[in-house]
């Protein structure tokens, strides 16, 4: 990334003095109603929306979120700052918002590092007041869409051994015990996209006094090296619906990995097409028996 995406609570507090800052809360409406960053607009569908990467699905998603972000007051001139409760409790939903805005070509997007938990831990004010933003529109830039990979491109990536397919799901999904965070049998199949390697998304973060925060660039690169990823390795990420993988995408880009994209349809889409191959069972080879001496 040419400039940093993560902002601290103190930095956001200073930014709130500017009318060109639009804050977006991705939490559920109940959490938002109980208290939020002053001036924040609630768009929970950033998290809940289940996308498909067919041409029709991509068109629907683009139109839906361009309208939602415009209604929040974004015209392209403002800086959008997105947050969730904390970096490990919202399944990466603030980062999913970053990916959606980046996909649409929005030029100024930030993430509150540490989320609302870090904001309150810093002793900064909250409110229950609900703003009424002036609806605006912004131009969608098709050239920015390369941050997301559609189904056909994911099929090509599976066949391309030079690209690392990085699964960021929770361990029970990776080992094929569960199909999703929504329930073990939410999807018709359990398993992995063929050839994928695995770094559970939690591993990109570590504890702090204000809650989980991303690790340093050196630490993230060390995690990536464990599965053969270097700063020059092309990486395609996936999870269940693109939220947790968005969290990892931000971490990898902040750490300096140059070619990172996201299969937004993820396991929710791939597993529902029985014609697509999957790997099932334990994600390791059975140990060979030692020859008798």
């Amino acid at each position: 990334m040419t400039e940093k995406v993560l902002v601290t609570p103190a930095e956001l507090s200073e930014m709130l003095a500017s009318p060109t800052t639009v804050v977006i809360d991705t939490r559920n409406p109940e959490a938002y109603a109980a208290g939020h960053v002053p001036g924040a607009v609630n768009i929970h569908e950033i998290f809940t929306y289940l996308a498909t990467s067919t041409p029709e699905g991509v068109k629907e998603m683009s139109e839906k979120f361009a309208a939602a972000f415009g209604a929040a007051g974004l015209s392209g001139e403002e800086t959008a700052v997105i947050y969730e409760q904390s970096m490990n409790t919202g399944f990466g939903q603030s980062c999913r918002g970053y990916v959606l805005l980046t996909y649409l070509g929005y030029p100024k997007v930030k993430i509150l590092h540490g989320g609302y938990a870090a904001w309150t831990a810093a002793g900064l004010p909250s409110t229950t007041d609900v703003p009424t933003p002036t609806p605006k529109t912004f131009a969608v830039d098709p050239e920015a869409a390369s941050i997301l990979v559609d189904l056909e491109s994911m099929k090509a990536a599976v066949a391309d051994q030079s690209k690392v397919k990085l699964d960021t799901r929770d361990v029970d999904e990776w080992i094929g015990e569960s199909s999703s965070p929504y329930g073990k049998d939410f999807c018709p199949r359990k398993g992995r996209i063929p050839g994928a390697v695995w770094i559970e998304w939690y591993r990109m973060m570590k504890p702090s006094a204000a809650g989980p925060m991303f690790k340093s660039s050196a630490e993230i690169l060390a995690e990536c090296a464990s599965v053969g990823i270097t700063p020059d390795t092309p990486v395609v990420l996936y999870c269940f619906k693109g939220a947790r993988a968005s969290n990892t995408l931000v971490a990898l880009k902040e750490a300096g990995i140059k070619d990172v994209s996201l299969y937004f349809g993820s396991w929710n889409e791939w597993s529902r097409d029985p014609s697509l191959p999957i790997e099932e069972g334990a994600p390791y080879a059975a140990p060979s028996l030692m020859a008798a001496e």
Side-chain angles (χ1 to χ4, degrees):
M1 289 183 180
T2 55
E3 61 180 76
K4 71 170 190 167
V5 167
L6 304 173
V7 297
T8 66
E11 288 170 332
L12 176 56
S13 182
E14 292 182 6
M15 293 172 70
L16 291 182
S18 169
T20 60
T21 299
V22 172
V23 184
I24 297 171
D25 184 315
T26 64
R27 299 174 301 157
N28 65 49
E30 294 76 19
Y32 173 79
H36 49 264
V37 173
V41 178
N42 187 221
I43 310 179
H44 187 48
E45 282 189 315
I46 285 170
F47 175 63
T48 59
Y49 189 78
L50 289 175
T52 59
S53 62
T54 62
E56 297 80 11
V58 168
K59 181 176 184 292
E60 177 186 326
M61 180 181 72
S62 299
E63 291 174 350
K64 180 179 185 63
F65 284 104
F69 290 127
L74 293 178
S75 70
E77 296 299 319
E78 301 79 14
T79 297
V81 183
I82 310 176
Y83 72 90
E84 56 192 289
Q85 180 61 32
S86 63
M87 302 311 290
N88 73 337
T89 58
F91 290 97
Q93 61 198 59
S94 60
C95 300
R96 195 183 202 231
Y98 162 81
V99 167
L100 284 167
L101 274 168
T102 302
Y103 168 77
L104 293 171
Y106 197 82
K108 305 172 186 178
V109 191
K110 305 291 185 183
I111 297 166
L112 174 60
H113 195 195
Y116 188 65
W119 178 265
T120 56
L124 293 164
S126 299
T127 185
T128 57
D129 294 340
V130 177
T132 53
T134 301
K136 299 177 181 177
T137 59
F138 61 89
V140 173
D141 180 7
E143 295 296 318
S146 61
I147 193 171
L148 296 185
V149 167
D150 64 14
L151 179 58
E152 291 306 313
S153 296
M154 190 63 189
K155 291 178 185 177
V158 168
D160 185 350
Q161 294 190 358
S162 71
K163 289 189 175 182
V164 171
K165 281 67 68 175
L166 180 58
D167 187 322
T168 67
R169 295 175 299 164
D170 292 13
V171 64
D172 60 343
E173 295 162 84
W174 168 249
I175 65 176
E177 288 184 355
S178 176
S179 71
S180 83
Y182 293 93
K184 291 185 180 296
D185 299 311
F186 184 81
C187 289
R189 298 191 292 172
K190 304 179 182 78
R192 302 164 298 283
I193 292 178
V197 297
W198 177 65
I199 301 177
E200 194 171 27
W201 70 292
Y202 293 112
R203 282 168 55 188
M204 296 300 163
M205 296 168 283
K206 63 182 180 181
S208 80
M213 300 287 184
F214 283 120
K215 292 178 176 178
S216 70
S217 294
E219 290 168 325
I220 289 168
L221 290 174
E223 295 283 4
C224 290
S226 70
V227 293
I229 296 172
T230 74
D232 296 316
T233 305
V235 182
V236 182
L237 298 157
Y238 78 94
C239 56
F240 174 69
K241 65 177 182 183
R244 290 168 290 179
S246 294
N247 177 286
T248 303
L249 179 143
V250 171
L252 267 56
K253 281 185 166 288
E254 289 279 278
I257 294 178
K258 303 179 184 73
D259 184 357
V260 186
S261 57
L262 170 61
Y263 172 38
F264 207 66
S266 280
W267 188 251
N268 180 58
E269 179 177 60
W270 189 276
S271 67
R272 294 183 188 280
D273 184 344
S275 72
L276 295 173
I278 63 170
E279 291 178 359
E280 300 177 88
Y284 46 80
S288 58
L289 296 175
M290 295 180 65
E293 295 185 10

